[in-house]
Every structure is written in structure tokens, then in C-alpha cells.
Amino acid sequence: MIIAMREHATDKEIQHVIDRVKEAGYQAHVTCGEERTIVAAVGSHGRRHELEALAAAHGVAEVVPVAQPFKLVSRQSKAQRSVVSVGGVLIGDGSFVVIAGPCSVESREQLFSTALEVKAAGAKLLRGGAYKPRTSPYDFQGLGVEALRLLRDVRQETGLPVVTEVMSTEDVDLICEHADMLQVGARNMQNFALLRRLATVQMPVLLKRGPAASVKEWLLAAEYLLAGGNRNVVLCERGIKTFETETRNTLDLASLALARELSHLPVLADPSHGTGRRSLIAPMSRAASAVGADGIIVEVHPCPERALSDGAQSLDFEGFRSLMRSLRDPLRAVGEA
Ligand code: PEP
Ligand code: MN
């Protein structure tokens, strides 16, 4: 249930509502909007009639049930869009943020040269995998701690905040010391132990959509983070499994737009994993921008043919510069067929 306070409700009236929500057996999550404060009562074991009765309390405008199962993620509990700061870079403020870098951190030279290039071309954040979720146990698994140290060094050298994937609860503290945003990969979207743990840190989380997850399941995964206390969540559509085999995944831009409609969280697109093909990255990035994405995350490598993971979908430096130029072009040139 949402308890919407009146515009000029006093702190005392708001506190009274919070206390009553807790007494009724729910958690109280407070959002202070520009105009009014909203108290979201979440939980399933409380006494609902006591919440309904709060309509008569001083300072309360209305008490309404939240239609969606993802209570805190839903637009109903927060009408204004959330803006997430990643090392000072804002995601969701109306700008189109580009996160770029290698699929995996492979060496100092590979990471530093890529970071300098993507920064010069306009990327605001650097990506790079230290722990890699690979389908085969024989494939490159990432450099682990060594990669984390390189990420920390490159951030210091370039000033680019870094995003890296966390696969296990055991690695959370160490990664928090080295990175600015933790990526939950597609395969871990419903790793509930990991989500619960990440809910307890204040580090921003990039939550990728699982390859076979519905929008509702994706938003409920985000709900774990918000319900546990971490509001710094950015969603990422990275393609889902369909019957199509010519592309690695099917980048589901309709669901990206829907996620932005149903929730207040920023949403990015990952056209690299979403297509698996370098030639499709610029057109799908432009399409993502057109449907309202708050930015993209793309893979870039100094020499994609030598990449230890995801070479086929990685842009080289010239390809990345060309992507950045294309994002400045009008979405469709006049007279284009
Ligand atoms: C990645 O970002 O390199 C990655 C493994 O992504 P996903 O979890 O979307 O497959
Ligand atoms: Mn990858």
C-alpha cells in the first residue's frame, strides 16, 4: 500500500504514519518527492485494515493499493525518475550515458589503451570483467583480483569510474573496494543470495535482465535490492533467448521501454550481448536512444580478433569512435531510404 502524504504534511505527521505502518506489521519505505512524501508499506504479513485506516490520519492525502507486485520499483511508489550517481556520473538525469570497455580485463596495456580511447571518444564510464561467467569451464574465466587492481589503477589514471561484474557473495566486499558500480550479470539475475547481499551495500548495481526472464521477474529482482535498502539500481536490457539464431540474443527494446514505463529506475541497453554482432551495435544503440534508454554499455577491444572473450561483438577503437559520431546524428537523415 502507498500512503501519500499531503503537500504540506509536517515531519511529525509523517513520522506518525511511519510508526503506524510498522506497528501494523509492515516495513515503511519513505520517498521524499519534490511535492509530497510517500510512505510505501511493504510486506505480506501485516494487518491491512490498519493501513487502510490511516486515510483518516492527519497529513494523509490518500491510501492506495499498489497494483504491481514490485512495490518499491514501481512508478506508483515514486513518480519522479530515479537518478543514480556512479562515481559522480549521473545515470537517469536525461543524458545518454555511454559505458564502454573490454568484455574482460586481459592486461594492463589492453585496459589502459582502451580506457584512454573510449574516454577521448566520449564514454563516461569504463567497463571490464574481472570475474567472467562463461558457459564452458574451459574458457577464460577472468583475471580476478589482478583485474580488480588494474581497474582501480586505470580509474585513478583516467578518472573514469569503473563497472565490473560480481558473481559471488564472497567477492562483494573486495569488488566494492575497487569499483564504482557492481554488475549483476544476466545469468545471476535471480541469484537471490547475491541480490540480498548487494541490497546491504550502497554501491550502485547494474542489474542485467536474465536471458529468459520476463519484465516482471526482472523488476522483482530489482525489488530485492530496493527492499533490502539499496536504491542505487540501474536496469540493463541485454537481449533474451528467442528462436532466432542469426543474432546471439534478441535485444528486446519494447521491454526496455516498458521497464521505463513501469518503474522509476534508469534503464540501459547492451547492444553488444543483445546482438552478438559488431555491425548491429550502432543501429541498435540509436534505436535504444529513440525508445528512451538512459544509455548503453558496449564492448570495445584494441584488437577484437585477439580478445579472450566476446571478440565478435567487440568494437575496435575506430568502430567505437564511429558509434559515438553516429549517436550525434539525427535518428533518420532526411531523404534516407
Ligand atoms: C558481460 O557484460 O560481459 C556479460 C557477461 O554480460 P551478460 O551477463 O549480459 O551476458
Ligand atoms: Mn561480454
Side-chain angles (χ1 to χ4, degrees):
M1 298 278 258
I2 295 289
I3 298 113
M5 303 303 296
R6 287 187 201 282
E7 216 174 302
H8 300 293
T10 63
D11 289 349
K12 202 171 155 211
E13 288 166 345
I14 296 170
Q15 191 55 50
H16 173 73
V17 168
I18 295 170
D19 293 343
R20 289 294 297 125
V21 165
K22 290 182 184 165
E23 278 169 25
Y26 296 88
Q27 281 178 22
H29 291 262
V30 185
T31 307
C32 300
E34 266 162 33
E35 277 162 24
R36 55 190 198 168
T37 297
I38 281 178
V39 181
V42 297
S44 50
H45 302 300
R47 294 175 297 279
R48 195 183 158 100
H49 62 277
E50 290 185 25
L51 293 183
E52 285 161 0
L54 282 174
H58 288 294
V60 171
E62 55 177 350
V63 178
V64 281
V66 184
Q68 305 287 5
F70 36 88
K71 311 285 178 203
L72 302 174
V73 162
S74 86
R75 285 299 280 281
Q76 242 182 312
S77 68
K78 184 166 179 281
Q80 297 129 263
R81 302 216 63 86
S82 288
V83 179
V84 175
S85 169
V86 181
V89 173
L90 301 183
I91 305 183
D93 67 343
S95 59
F96 190 77
V97 174
V98 177
I99 307 176
C103 176
S104 304
V105 175
E106 299 171 6
S107 68
R108 178 172 284 267
E109 162 61 21
Q110 174 244 19
L111 184 64
F112 276 64
S113 62
T114 309
L116 291 169
E117 276 290 334
V118 299
K119 182 180 177 183
K124 291 285 183 280
L125 298 165
L126 179 71
R127 64 150 289 151
Y131 300 90
K132 297 303 301 176
R134 304 306 301 278
T135 303
S136 163
Y138 306 117
D139 287 341
F140 177 61
Q141 304 286 310
L143 296 180
V145 183
E146 194 188 329
L148 291 181
R149 293 202 189 103
L150 291 173
L151 286 167
R152 193 182 50 191
D153 292 353
V154 79
R155 173 180 57 180
Q156 198 148 22
E157 175 112 358
T158 62
L160 284 178
V162 303
V163 184
T164 198
E165 177 161 355
V166 56
M167 295 205 296
S168 157
T169 52
E170 289 165 26
D171 302 327
V172 172
D173 290 332
L174 187 66
I175 299 181
C176 283
E177 285 168 25
H178 291 78
D180 300 279
M181 180 179 227
L182 307 189
Q183 172 176 322
V184 174
R187 295 164 182 84
N188 271 314
M189 187 202 84
Q190 283 187 320
N191 179 338
F192 299 115
L194 182 61
L195 295 175
R196 280 203 196 89
R197 178 74 180 79
L198 292 175
T200 66
V201 300
Q202 286 312 304
M203 185 67 72
V205 174
L206 182 65
L207 180 63
K208 290 204 164 186
R209 180 184 182 188
S214 66
V215 171
K216 192 194 277 183
E217 288 164 338
W218 185 23
L219 297 182
L220 280 168
E223 184 79 10
Y224 270 84
L225 296 167
L226 271 71
N230 189 346
R231 295 182 180 210
N232 300 312
V233 178
V234 175
L235 301 167
C236 178
E237 160 58 34
R238 50 77 73 200
I240 52 171
K241 292 262 183 235
T242 65
F243 54 80
E244 183 56 73
T245 53
E246 293 296 314
T247 48
R248 181 176 175 185
N249 290 291
T250 296
L251 189 66
D252 184 4
L253 292 180
S255 289
L256 184 153
L258 180 62
R260 284 188 91 258
E261 202 172 288
L262 296 176
S263 103
H264 52 83
L265 299 174
V267 191
L268 304 182
D270 175 347
S272 305
H273 296 87
T275 66
R277 284 178 182 249
R278 131 176 359 109
S279 66
L280 297 179
I281 290 170
M284 295 316 286
S285 298
R286 286 156 59 73
S289 165
V291 301
D294 296 285
I296 48 170
I297 178 166
V298 291
E299 291 184 336
V300 180
H301 194 283
C303 182
E305 70 170 72
R306 291 181 186 269
L308 297 182
S309 59
D310 287 350
Q313 67 193 33
S314 296
L315 296 170
D316 62 14
F317 295 162
E318 179 43 41
F320 183 68
R321 285 193 290 267
S322 151
L323 164 69
M324 295 303 283
R325 279 194 300 273
S326 80
L327 287 170
R328 289 194 290 267
D329 291 344
L331 285 175
R332 198 178 176 91
V334 180
E336 202 177 304

